Amino acid sequence: MTQSTINPQVVAEHGFSPEEYERVLHAMGREPNLTELGIFSVMWSEHCSYKSSRLHLKKFPTTGPQVICGPGENAGVVDIGDGQAAIFKMESHNHPSYIEPYQGAATGVGGILRDVFTMGARPIANMNALRFGRPDHPRMRHLIAGVVGGIGGYGNCVGVPTVGGEVNFHKAYDGNILVNAMTVGLANQDKIFYSAASGPGNSIVYVGSKTGRDGIHGATMASADFSEDSEEKRPTVQVGDPFTEKLLIEACLELMASDAIVAIQDMGAAGLTSSSVEMASKGGVGIELDMNAVPCREEGMTPYEMMLSESQERMLMVLKPGREAEAEAIFQKWELDFAIIGRVTETGHMVLRWNGEIVCDIPLAPLADEAPLYDRPWVPTPKRAPLPVMEFTTDIGKDLVALMGSPDLASRRWIWEQYDHMVGADTVQRPGGDSAVVRVHGTQKGLAISTDVTPRYCFADPVEGGKQAIAECYRNLTAVGAKPLATTDCLNFGNPQRPEIMGQFVGCIEGMAEACRALDMPIVSGNVSLYNETKNDDGTGSAILPTPAIGGIGLLADYTRSATIAFKAVGDDIWLVGDTAGHLGQSLWLREIAGREEGPPPPVYLEAERRNGDCVRTLIDEGLVTAVHDVSDGGLLVAVAEMALAGGLGAQLDKLTFDRADLHAFLFGEDQARYVVTTGNSDPVVRALAAAGVKHSFLGSTGGKDIRLPGGPSIELGELRQVHEAFFPNLMRGELAAA
C-alpha cells in the first residue's frame, strides 16, 4: 500500500477521527504513508496516549519522601531502606483475554514482568485482579479456565511466585472480562535503569525474541469497544513464551550489573514503535532504525508490520560506545537474539530505512507530546436514595452459609493452587489472607502486597467507591502489620465518549486522590483501560462496572512479626475495632440474600481509617494480638467466619454489644475502617485502643467447632467449610446447581 491509497476508509480503520487525521497532516506537513499512519495510530491510541484520561490523572498525589520515581517510567519506585527499592506496577490485558483467554492472560503477566525488570529489578512476586461475568454464562467457564491457566502457566514457568489477588463476578462483565496483572521487584537504589535515550551516535540494540505478525494493532484494538466480530481479532492477541522471558530477565540483569546501558525499554503495547518513540522523546533526541536489521521470524515482513507487531519477550536498549560486543556476548550466552538496529541522532525525528530507502520520517515531538488531549464531557453520577426501612426475616445462620458459598466470597483455593506461590522460597504469607507477604531476600524485611477495589460501590457512588478502593488496600496491608507505602492502579472503565461513563472516571479519581493524600499512599505507576464495553444490537454499549483496581505495597521491618487472619488458640478474646452503623447499602448480603442492588455504598471516613489503622499496626508490632482481619465484603460475621475457617477454631459471639433490632445490619453491614482482632490478654489491647481514641467492642471468644450467636443459631465449621470450598470445583465441573 502506498501513499496514494491513504483514503478516509484507511484512516478510519486506523482509529482516527477526521479531526485527528487533520492533526496528523499538520504535524507531518504532508500526507503520511501507510507506515507513518500506522505509527501515529498506535501512539495516538487511547491505550498509549491516554488522550481521554491524562487531564484527570494529574489530580493524583504522586510524590512523597518514600517515592524515588513516580508515574512516567515503566514502573514506580519506592524506598524500602538500606539502599534498596521496591519497583512495581499493575497493567490490564482485558480485550486480549476475552478473545483468547490463555494467551491474553499469559502475555499480560509477561508484559508486566518486563515493565519491572527493565528498570533493573528482579521480580519477586506477581498478583492479579480478575473480574468475570455471571458464573452460569455459557462462555464463562471457558474464560475462567483459560485466564487462570494462562496466569499460572506463564508465572510458574518464568519462576516468579503468584502470591495473591482478587476475583469478582457480576453480569456487567459478561461481555468484557477484566484481567489486571501486577508485579513487584527488588533493586538496589544505585542500579535503577530509566528509558530516556541520550548520546547521538550511540547504538540502539534489539534483544530477546524475533518479531512476528502476532499482536499487530493490539494497542488500537484495546482502544475500542467490542462488537460481534471479536473472534476475528484473534490475530491481534500475542503469543507468549515464559521460558524465553526467564532467559531475558537473566540476560538483562547480567548486563545491568555492568555500566554499559544508557537506556532500556521493553516492547509492550505498540511494540517497537512505542519503545523507540518513548526512549527518544524522553531523551529529547532523534532515532534512526535500519528495518532490515530487525530480527524477524516470518518471511516478507514489512516495516509497517515490524513497527506495529506486539510479539513478546523483546527489549530495546541504548548502549554506551564500544560496549556492543560485551552485550552481545551476554545475550548469545543466554541464546537470545541480539541486533544493532539503529543509532541515536540529533534530528528530533524518527527515521526508518528499509532496502536502502527512507520509508518513514516523523517528527517525534508531535508524535509523543502533542497527541490529542480531550476534556471529555461528563456528568456526575446521581446519588442513590437511602435504603428503605427493612424487616429482617431471614435466618442469620442460613444467610452466613449462603454468603460463604457465594461467588464473591467462596474459597479461591481452586485458583491459587494452580499458581506456584512458593517458588523462590521467600513467600511468607500464602494466598488466602488479607495481604501476601514476601521476604526481602537476605534480610528480616518483608513486603506486603494487596489488590483491591469494590466495583459495586464505584458504580453506586464513584467518589466514595474510589476512596474505599484505596482505604481497603490500606487496611489489608495494615492487617498483616505492614506500613503502607504507595500504590499502583489499573483504571478499567467503559466508553469515555459517554458522559455518564466519563463521570464515573472523574468521580473515582477524585475519591482515590483524596484517600491517597489522607493515608499517605501516593500513586507511583498505573494504567488506564477504557472502552471496556460490548455493543448491543441497537448500537448502545453495555459497560463494565467502573473498576479502578488498586495495587498497594507496604513494608514490614521484621517479616516474622506479620499477623495472619487465622484464630490461633482456644479462649482468645475477640474484639471488633472500629465503629458500626450497620450499613447494608450495596452490601453482598443485600445482593445475595435479598436479591437487591440498591442504596448508597458505605461512607468512607478517612480520618478514622488512618487512626484505626495506625493503632492496629501498633498492636501487631508490640505482639499484643494473635490474629487480625479487616472487615470488608460480607461484613463482621463473614470476617469472623473466615478467621475461624483459617484456624480451624470456632467462635462464641456471646458478648455482642448491640441491642437494636437490626442484628442483620450489624452482622452483615459493610461499614468501613473496621478490623477483627484476637488476643490472649485484653487489658493492654483495650488500653491502647482507648488511648488512641479508637472505638471497639468485645464480641466473645475463640473455641469449639462452630460459630455461636447469643440466643441464636450455631453454625458448624464443617458445614461452612464444605460450602465455602465447593463453589469453584462445582462451577468448573459444570455442576453449578450443586454449589
Side-chain angles (χ1 to χ4, degrees):
M1 191 177 288
T2 63
Q3 280 187 224
S4 60
T5 62
I6 302 295
N7 55 45
Q9 180 181 346
V10 172
V11 170
E13 287 171 352
H14 281 75
F16 292 104
S17 68
E19 295 77 15
E20 288 173 342
Y21 185 60
E22 284 298 319
R23 293 176 64 127
V24 173
L25 294 176
H26 181 265
M28 293 287 291
R30 59 174 171 80
E31 186 179 75
N33 61 36
L34 184 66
T35 299
E36 293 164 337
L37 185 72
I39 288 171
F40 267 101
S41 78
V42 292
M43 290 306 298
W44 283 13
S45 69
E46 194 75 65
H47 193 74
C48 291
S49 74
Y50 295 171
K51 57 190 175 186
S52 296
S53 59
R54 69 181 192 270
L55 184 72
H56 299 283
L57 298 178
K58 297 175 183 177
K59 300 172 185 176
F60 284 144
T62 59
T63 60
Q66 71 273 44
V67 178
I68 295 173
C69 178
E73 277 292 338
N74 287 289
V77 186
V78 294
D79 185 351
I80 60 169
D82 307 309
Q84 295 178 304
I87 299 180
F88 67 107
K89 189 181 183 184
M90 178 187 280
E91 279 204 343
S92 63
H93 229 222
N94 302 334
H95 285 40
S97 298
Y98 185 82
I99 296 167
E100 213 306 297
Y102 186 96
Q103 289 297 345
T107 52
V109 174
I112 197 63
L113 282 165
R114 288 193 300 280
D115 277 339
V116 167
F117 77 73
T118 193
M119 297 196 69
R122 177 172 291 281
I124 62 165
N126 288 330
M127 298 278 285
N128 53 75
L130 312 176
R131 264 81 199 179
F132 296 109
R134 290 167 294 177
D136 58 355
H137 187 280
R139 188 169 163 80
M140 216 48 58
R141 283 172 59 207
H142 164 71
L143 292 171
I144 294 168
V147 166
V148 172
I151 291 170
Y154 204 100
N156 296 353
C157 292
V158 84
V160 178
T162 300
V163 293
E166 57 175 347
V167 185
N168 292 151
F169 294 84
H170 193 278
K171 62 184 178 182
Y173 304 103
D174 280 355
N176 221 126
I177 64 171
L178 301 184
V179 176
N180 296 171
M182 177 180 175
T183 293
V184 180
L186 290 174
N188 291 327
Q189 293 181 21
D190 60 354
K191 280 291 185 181
I192 296 171
F193 291 81
Y194 299 98
S195 58
S198 63
N202 283 347
S203 295
I204 297 168
V205 172
Y206 171 121
V207 299
S209 291
K210 289 180 168 61
T211 294
R213 291 188 170 94
D214 52 326
I216 293 174
H217 275 301
T220 307
M221 186 234 348
S223 305
D225 50 15
F226 273 146
S227 58
E228 294 303 314
D229 66 348
S230 62
E231 290 296 314
E232 298 174 12
K233 296 179 180 176
R234 283 183 183 272
T236 65
V237 178
Q238 312 94 316
V239 177
D241 180 353
F243 299 106
T244 298
E245 182 104 339
K246 174 62 174 173
L247 299 178
L248 189 59
I249 291 173
E250 299 303 331
C252 287
L253 291 177
E254 182 175 337
L255 183 59
M256 286 168 169
S258 72
D259 63 347
I261 298 174
V262 174
I264 182 169
Q265 175 78 37
D266 83 293
M267 295 191 213
L272 185 53
T273 290
S274 63
S275 55
S276 56
V277 169
E278 288 172 14
M279 292 177 78
S281 60
K282 286 178 182 176
V285 296
I287 192 166
E288 184 172 309
L289 301 180
D290 176 7
M291 304 309 294
N292 293 96
V294 174
C296 293
R297 68 168 183 262
E298 299 183 44
E299 293 293 326
M301 290 191 70
T302 65
Y304 178 97
E305 293 171 322
M306 287 183 252
M307 293 302 292
L308 271 59
S309 167
E310 294 183 7
S311 294
Q312 296 291 287
E313 293 87 39
R314 302 179 300 157
M315 309 282 280
L316 201 63
M317 299 180 181
V318 176
L319 297 181
K320 291 182 178 178
R323 307 300 291 272
E324 294 87 353
E326 173 188 349
E328 184 174 13
I330 290 173
F331 283 90
Q332 285 184 344
K333 181 183 79 173
W334 290 100
E335 299 180 348
L336 296 166
D337 275 285
F338 177 98
I340 299 172
I341 66 168
R343 63 186 180 89
V344 178
T345 69
E346 296 178 296
T347 64
H349 280 231
M350 167 185 272
V351 176
L352 307 182
R353 296 181 181 274
W354 188 50
N355 295 338
E357 297 182 0
I358 294 177
V359 293
C360 169
D361 187 346
I362 298 177
L364 283 163
L367 190 61
D369 303 326
E370 298 174 22
L373 175 62
Y374 295 127
D375 186 359
R376 302 277 192 196
W378 62 276
V379 294
T381 301
K383 294 291 184 181
R384 297 294 183 98
L387 279 181
V389 176
M390 302 172 62
E391 290 190 17
F392 302 99
T393 58
T394 58
D395 181 294
I396 286 174
K398 290 181 179 178
D399 289 358
L400 177 62
V401 172
L403 282 172
M404 294 300 287
S406 66
D408 278 8
L409 288 176
S411 169
R412 274 62 178 130
R413 182 183 303 276
W414 179 88
I415 293 177
W416 57 255
E417 283 188 343
Q418 298 183 53
Y419 304 154
D420 188 340
H421 46 270
M422 297 302 293
V423 64
D426 283 323
T427 303
V428 176
Q429 285 204 33
R430 306 181 184 194
D434 285 320
S435 293
V437 179
V438 180
R439 178 179 58 168
V440 177
H441 195 76
T443 76
Q444 286 295 108
K445 294 184 295 189
L447 284 178
I449 315 164
S450 182
T451 57
D452 298 283
V453 67
T454 310
R456 63 185 187 277
Y457 293 177
C458 295
F459 183 67
D461 186 332
V463 176
E464 288 300 309
K467 286 184 197 175
Q468 194 272 344
I470 299 292
E472 186 173 348
C473 189
Y474 173 87
R475 285 199 305 274
N476 280 327
L477 297 172
T478 291
V480 299
K483 177 178 175 53
L485 288 180
T487 57
T488 183
D489 62 42
C490 195
L491 306 177
N492 308 273
F493 290 81
N495 185 338
Q497 297 176 57
R498 294 169 57 191
E500 67 275 19
I501 299 295
M502 200 64 207
Q504 294 172 353
F505 184 84
V506 173
C508 284
I509 283 185
E510 178 185 332
M512 291 167 60
E514 183 181 347
C516 286
R517 286 189 290 268
L519 302 176
D520 192 22
M521 291 176 67
I523 289 178
V524 297
S525 61
N527 172 240
V528 178
S529 175
L530 302 177
Y531 295 96
N532 289 289
E533 292 198 3
T534 302
K535 284 184 178 177
N536 300 319
D537 292 339
D538 61 2
T540 60
S542 295
I544 62 165
L545 300 182
T547 311
I550 303 301
I553 67 166
L555 182 64
L556 288 144
D558 183 352
Y559 71 85
T560 65
R561 300 178 71 84
S562 66
T564 65
I565 73 170
F567 287 158
K568 302 298 188 302
V570 174
D572 277 358
D573 291 339
I574 306 172
W575 289 86
L576 172 62
V577 176
D579 197 15
T580 299
H583 191 101
L584 281 174
Q586 299 299 324
S587 66
L588 281 185
W589 181 89
L590 189 68
R591 189 181 81 190
E592 297 294 328
I593 306 302
R596 298 159 62 176
E597 296 185 55
E598 297 176 19
V604 179
Y605 301 111
L606 294 169
E607 184 179 341
E609 291 283 4
R610 183 71 181 256
R611 179 178 62 247
N612 296 3
D614 287 347
C615 188
V616 167
R617 284 196 304 278
T618 299
L619 295 176
I620 295 170
D621 190 54
E622 294 181 358
L624 298 177
V625 287
T626 52
V628 182
H629 190 17
D630 90 302
V631 181
S632 54
D633 282 349
L636 170 62
L637 194 55
V638 164
V640 171
E642 289 171 339
M643 298 174 83
L645 289 175
L649 275 176
Q652 281 68 56
L653 304 181
D654 51 2
K655 302 295 184 183
L656 285 174
T657 55
F658 201 69
D659 55 5
R660 288 158 50 184
D662 49 351
L663 187 59
H664 284 74
F666 180 71
L667 294 174
F668 298 118
E670 296 179 4
D671 302 84
Q672 301 294 292
R674 298 187 299 163
Y675 304 79
V676 175
V677 303
T678 61
T679 179
N681 183 4
S682 287
D683 289 344
V685 172
V686 172
R687 284 196 298 270
L689 290 167
V694 175
K695 293 188 176 182
H696 50 283
S697 307
F698 182 49
L699 299 179
S701 61
T702 59
K705 292 298 181 183
D706 55 11
I707 297 173
R708 293 183 185 173
L709 298 170
S714 175
I715 307 112
E716 293 184 356
L717 287 190
E719 180 185 6
L720 270 183
R721 189 179 304 281
Q722 182 178 4
V723 171
H724 188 54
E725 297 281 352
F727 170 76
F728 270 102
N730 286 345
L731 170 63
M732 302 313 292
R733 285 196 300 261
E735 301 172 4
L736 186 62

